[in-house]
Amino acid sequence: NYTTDTKSREENKKTLENLYSLSVDITKIRRLKEWVLLQDVAYVKEIAGILQEMGADETTVASIIECCPEAILHTPAEINSQRALWQLVCQNEKQMIKLIEQFPESFFTTEYQQNQKANILFFQELGLKNNIITRFLTSAPNIFYNPVEKNKNVIETLQRNYLNLGGTEENMKIWILKLLSQNPFILLNISTAIQENLEFLQKNYFTDQEVLQLLSKLKGFIFQLNSTTMQKSMLFSKNIFKCSDQELKQLVLKCPALLYYSVTVLKERLEGLLKEGISIAQIRETPMVLELTTQIVQYRIKKLSALGYDIKSGNLESLNGTKKDFEVTYGKIQSKKERPIFNPVAPLHVED
């Protein structure tokens, strides 16, 4: 633990000199984490040396230290251990430096090295490719701080439930790896919460096959929910769409967002659509439109309206999908509008 009492202490002159020699913007460090400059011991030259040894140029070293000043408070031994850890999954040190420049805090968190190593080895045994593990290390570093037993426990719970729901041994590995690569944060959940959420769906008349379908569609986000919020969201949808339990179930299978989003979010998105003149019947026909934010819906309606496409009387399918999906739909409507009408029996005007 480093002291953050900045009033009674002075900046370390040696640290400042070493940072100046590396062309580091010290005003940026003062603004972000001045306490780093007050520490009695810092390893500026040593950490810079290790980074340069790995292939970082002067600009890159300065950029890394400016973004993550506490890097200079780690001992060279700690950083070399972290370097050896990341070498287990990085193709080469050139790739590692690129990752450190983008995600310095992930690399310079060295307190959990034993857990990190055990988890890296566990993920490799599980069959995750190294490029996926490096993505986890940078974008979801918290999952490596867990003791490996906790992560193993969550994976075993998922495997057990997958088989209980009728999944096969052959497909289980692919399913688990896909789920993890889509949403590694499921490993931060407790095994009992996973169990409870699955039981909630079964109590609400979803068949085992349908629960498996939902798990794949929700990319594991279902494990971050709880039965109370799911119950409230389903009740809200049932009242809005005036449907039976069976009809509601079909709507949820079409659009898992009805299960995942809170009542507040669903209400806001519904109101946004109604303001645009879209009816409840249209939304019920294409509930996937609720997966889009109000801003995205407004932008897409505006673009389609400019082409003369009336969303109020048309199908909401044209609003759906990712940005890429929408651009394809928009392009098709645009080209249809611009294409001249060809009359096959009209005489052709050709010069003699």
Side-chain angles (χ1 to χ4, degrees):
N1 292 329
Y2 305 108
T3 178
T4 52
D5 177 13
T6 59
K7 289 177 187 174
S8 60
R9 306 192 61 194
E10 286 185 3
E11 290 179 351
N12 186 321
K13 285 186 178 137
K14 192 183 173 189
T15 301
L16 294 177
E17 283 167 18
N18 289 333
L19 289 171
Y20 276 125
S21 71
L22 291 167
S23 305
V24 172
D25 183 350
I26 293 171
T27 56
K28 196 173 178 183
I29 295 179
R30 282 195 184 110
R31 194 170 65 248
L32 295 174
K33 292 178 180 174
E34 191 190 12
W35 57 270
V36 171
L37 303 173
L38 308 178
Q39 305 311 312
D40 295 330
V41 181
Y43 302 93
V44 183
K45 283 185 175 178
E46 293 86 343
I47 302 309
I50 292 170
L51 293 171
Q52 284 164 343
E53 214 178 272
M54 290 162 70
D57 58 25
E58 194 178 291
T59 311
T60 304
V61 171
S63 166
I64 289 168
I65 294 173
E66 284 165 11
C67 292
C68 184
E70 57 269 45
I72 63 172
L73 302 178
H74 290 287
T75 67
E78 286 172 335
I79 298 310
N80 277 321
S81 293
Q82 197 72 342
R83 179 183 178 181
L85 258 183
W86 282 42
Q87 276 171 338
L88 293 172
V89 286
C90 288
Q91 293 168 5
N92 49 47
E93 294 202 318
K94 189 181 175 185
Q95 186 207 11
M96 203 191 300
I97 280 293
K98 261 190 177 178
L99 291 172
I100 295 169
E101 192 178 7
Q102 287 176 287
F103 308 94
E105 287 185 5
S106 297
F107 181 77
F108 290 106
T109 301
T110 62
E111 293 90 324
Y112 308 93
Q113 282 181 341
Q114 279 188 315
N115 286 355
Q116 283 182 322
K117 185 172 184 179
N119 280 307
I120 286 172
L121 296 174
F122 167 59
F123 291 142
Q124 286 176 329
E125 281 168 29
L126 203 60
L128 276 172
K129 290 181 178 172
N130 283 342
N131 64 322
I132 302 287
I133 300 173
T134 52
R135 182 155 63 79
F136 289 0
L137 272 172
T138 51
S139 58
N142 295 18
I143 66 173
F144 293 86
Y145 307 158
N146 285 338
V148 72
E149 291 71 29
K150 160 130 182 11
N151 287 338
K152 277 183 179 174
N153 199 8
V154 172
I155 294 294
E156 281 163 11
T157 303
L158 290 170
Q159 290 171 328
R160 187 172 59 253
N161 278 293
Y162 181 79
L163 294 174
N164 289 345
L165 290 166
T168 63
E169 284 274 3
E170 302 83 69
N171 293 335
M172 183 176 68
K173 186 179 175 182
I174 298 165
W175 182 77
I176 288 281
L177 295 181
K178 192 176 178 185
L179 199 63
L180 273 178
S181 60
Q182 287 171 333
N183 181 16
F185 296 104
I186 57 174
L187 292 169
L188 298 177
N189 295 297
I190 306 162
S191 301
T192 49
I194 292 173
Q195 198 71 47
E196 282 167 16
N197 286 350
L198 293 176
E199 283 169 11
F200 167 82
L201 292 173
Q202 288 170 314
K203 280 175 192 166
N204 279 274
Y205 314 111
F206 286 93
T207 66
D208 290 353
Q209 196 56 44
E210 286 166 345
V211 174
L212 271 184
Q213 189 185 326
L214 272 176
L215 296 190
S216 300
K217 278 192 175 183
L218 280 166
K219 300 178 181 176
F221 290 118
I222 191 169
F223 302 128
Q224 288 162 247
L225 302 174
N226 62 62
S227 52
T228 311
T229 56
M230 287 194 280
Q231 187 73 60
K232 284 178 182 173
S233 296
M234 284 177 74
L235 190 61
F236 173 77
S237 299
K238 189 179 179 182
N239 292 335
I240 286 293
F241 296 120
K242 296 180 172 56
C243 55
S244 66
D245 288 338
Q246 192 58 35
E247 287 168 333
L248 176 65
K249 194 177 82 164
Q250 293 310 314
L251 284 175
V252 170
L253 288 169
K254 248 187 183 182
C255 174
L258 296 177
L259 194 69
Y260 176 65
Y261 289 125
S262 67
V263 170
T264 315
V265 171
L266 290 173
K267 204 172 180 182
E268 182 209 323
R269 292 185 180 186
L270 204 72
E271 283 170 2
L273 288 163
L274 296 175
K275 274 180 191 170
E276 295 294 334
I278 291 164
S279 69
I280 290 285
Q282 280 177 293
I283 301 167
R284 182 174 166 170
E285 191 63 37
T286 316
M288 295 79 75
V289 77
L290 290 166
E291 291 174 358
L292 305 168
T293 66
T294 305
Q295 290 80 0
I296 290 172
V297 166
Q298 286 170 342
Y299 167 77
R300 291 182 181 184
I301 288 175
K302 199 175 174 183
K303 279 200 83 171
L304 290 171
S305 297
L307 294 178
Y309 187 90
D310 184 13
I311 203 74
K312 293 172 202 171
S313 56
N315 193 311
L316 298 188
E317 286 288 346
S318 52
L319 290 177
N320 276 342
T322 61
K323 186 181 176 184
K324 195 177 175 183
D325 295 335
F326 175 71
E327 291 303 332
V328 169
T329 306
Y330 177 80
K332 282 179 183 173
I333 294 170
Q334 191 177 33
S335 61
K336 197 175 178 183
K337 187 176 182 288
E338 289 169 357
R339 196 183 299 136
I341 296 167
F342 175 64
N343 183 349
V345 294
L348 291 174
H349 296 287
V350 289
E351 289 180 14
D352 293 328

